[in-house]
Amino acid sequence: MRRDAATEVEVFPDLQGLALAAARRLVALAAERAEEAGRVSIALSGGRTPLPLYELLAGALRGRVPWDVTELYFGDERCVPPTHLDSNYAAARRALLSRVPAAKVFRIEGERPPEAAARDYDATLHAAFPDPLAPTFDLALLGVGADGHTASLFPGSPALDEGARWAVAVPSPAAAEPRVPRVTLTPPVLGRSREAWFLCAGADKREVVARILAGRAPELPAARVRGTLRTVWLLDRAARGDS
Ligand code: 6PG
């Protein structure tokens, strides 16, 4: 990935330090966008890494976010019911959504047939961001799998080349858990976010993070999603290879 001035990398001793820095950045971004645009739109990441961030936003920093104008979306969802252990919505609900008065939460309906859920979420996103020339999300929070996937955009997936739809159904991944079909946002909508932040922690991410940040893996999904204003990689030492 080309490391231009709009790409930042920050390394923290551990996941808690990463989460606190991300939470502070998000508080600042949300205040700015609430002031400038009167709304804040954030796409939440699935997986485990962002959960300490969500806990901070619902706890210690709850009063610092303008929840009354904040809209929360999802970057992807596993095709399971919203109460299922593997549901990204269920995890976000426990850590954040049930504890803050977000103005709107736009859930991907994992319990429905994937194509129908994707079609309806695509319509939801286009209604939320109707201006074809304006950015979409103020912030896309993203994780990275050891195979280089992000959201549920997996290496080699046709969804990577989707040019029109903003949400598509994808089959169960061959090399990522859980092995269930997903609905994922696509590069056209993620790539029009003002800011894209990749939160990565753990030694299992070290190799893929090093390849992407060195520009040696441009084909990987996580190397292909950039924010229009800023792309930020927030890493713990284990993911950055600092012993
Ligand atoms: C998902 C996520 C996925 C996740 C990565 C990293 O639905 O699983 O959207 O892209 O961010 O797999 O997951 P961890 O944070 O659990 O390592």
Side-chain angles (χ1 to χ4, degrees):
M1 173 181 71
R2 187 167 42 81
R3 293 274 307 281
D4 58 25
T7 300
E8 297 173 35
V9 179
E10 278 204 85
V11 184
F12 303 91
D14 52 28
L15 177 54
Q16 202 53 43
L18 185 165
L20 185 55
R24 286 174 170 155
R25 274 181 176 259
L26 190 148
V27 162
L29 178 149
E32 179 186 291
R33 295 304 295 151
E35 175 71 26
E36 288 173 353
R39 76 186 275 210
V40 186
S41 54
I42 300 172
L44 298 176
S45 168
R48 291 179 303 278
T49 304
L51 295 180
L53 164 60
Y54 298 163
E55 293 281 351
L56 284 169
L57 295 173
L61 296 176
R62 184 181 190 279
R64 304 277 300 282
V65 177
W67 296 112
D68 59 325
V69 294
T70 297
E71 303 162 14
L72 299 176
Y73 300 80
F74 284 82
D76 71 329
E77 185 56 275
R78 293 81 177 268
C79 294
V80 296
T83 53
H84 191 283
L85 190 62
D86 287 336
S87 163
N88 286 332
Y89 172 78
R93 189 178 187 289
R94 275 192 304 277
L96 177 63
L97 305 180
S98 61
R99 302 163 61 190
V100 298
K104 293 179 193 164
V105 175
F106 297 92
R107 177 176 76 84
I108 300 172
E109 295 169 299
E111 70 278 19
R112 293 179 60 205
E115 297 293 345
R119 185 181 60 245
D120 288 356
Y121 208 67
D122 176 77
T124 296
L125 293 173
H126 276 93
F129 306 107
D131 181 348
L133 301 179
T136 52
F137 303 109
D138 293 317
L139 172 61
L141 290 171
L142 294 162
V144 185
D147 63 353
H149 80 260
T150 192
S152 282
L153 296 167
F154 294 99
S157 168
L160 284 169
D161 299 316
E162 173 61 45
R165 292 173 296 170
W166 286 1
V168 295
V170 296
S172 172
E177 296 298 334
R179 306 288 173 94
V180 295
R182 304 0 178 32
V183 172
T184 187
L185 270 57
T186 58
V189 67
L190 290 172
R192 275 181 48 195
S193 301
R194 289 169 60 88
E195 301 201 24
W197 300 357
F198 290 93
L199 279 59
C200 295
D204 62 320
K205 309 293 174 72
R206 180 177 305 179
E207 194 265 337
V208 71
V209 166
R211 284 178 58 209
I212 291 172
L213 292 183
R216 297 199 310 272
E219 78 288 352
L220 291 180
R224 294 174 54 169
V225 174
R226 315 283 307 286
T228 56
L229 295 180
R230 184 174 292 112
T231 305
V232 183
W233 287 74
L234 299 169
L235 311 170
D236 73 353
R237 283 209 187 104
R240 192 56 180 131
D242 302 344
S243 53

